[in-house]
Amino acid sequence: MPVIRDRTTGLSELIANPNIYGRRKADEYFRQSEMWALKCLDEDDGNAEAMHVIGLLYYDANKLDKAIEWFDKTLDHDPRHIHANLYRSWC
């Protein structure tokens, strides 16, 4: 079985299935990133960049319905947000 070293914690872990490990780490990073973006929104309700980041997180996770929802929120606050328009069109 392969041993995988976590770059963020420095801990090594014996992994039976590296694909499961990768999915688990991706889910963990998704939750952390979403938490920080939502924290930005708590401090500044109209932060279009934080909304866009959440949309990108959902887009990358292939949760396109949620991504469209967040890109629409971004465009409600900043109708000229180029990247939100672009990613919205790709969904």
Side-chain angles (χ1 to χ4, degrees), residues 30-68:
F30 174 87
R31 285 191 302 276
Q32 288 175 359
S33 300
E34 183 184 35
M35 178 198 65
W36 285 109
L38 289 171
K39 186 173 180 169
C40 288
L41 284 177
D42 284 343
E43 294 176 10
D44 179 10
D45 287 340
N47 190 332
E49 284 304 315
M51 293 176 200
H52 178 247
V53 166
I54 296 171
L56 289 175
L57 289 170
Y58 283 112
Y59 179 85
D60 288 341
N62 205 26
K63 298 176 181 177
L64 300 182
D65 291 338
K66 294 288 277 183
I68 290 171

Side-chain angles (χ1 to χ4, degrees), residues 20-31:
I20 292 172
Y21 174 82
R23 272 189 237 118
R24 188 177 67 212
K25 292 307 279 185
D27 288 342
E28 178 184 327
Y29 294 142
F30 174 87
R31 285 191 302 276

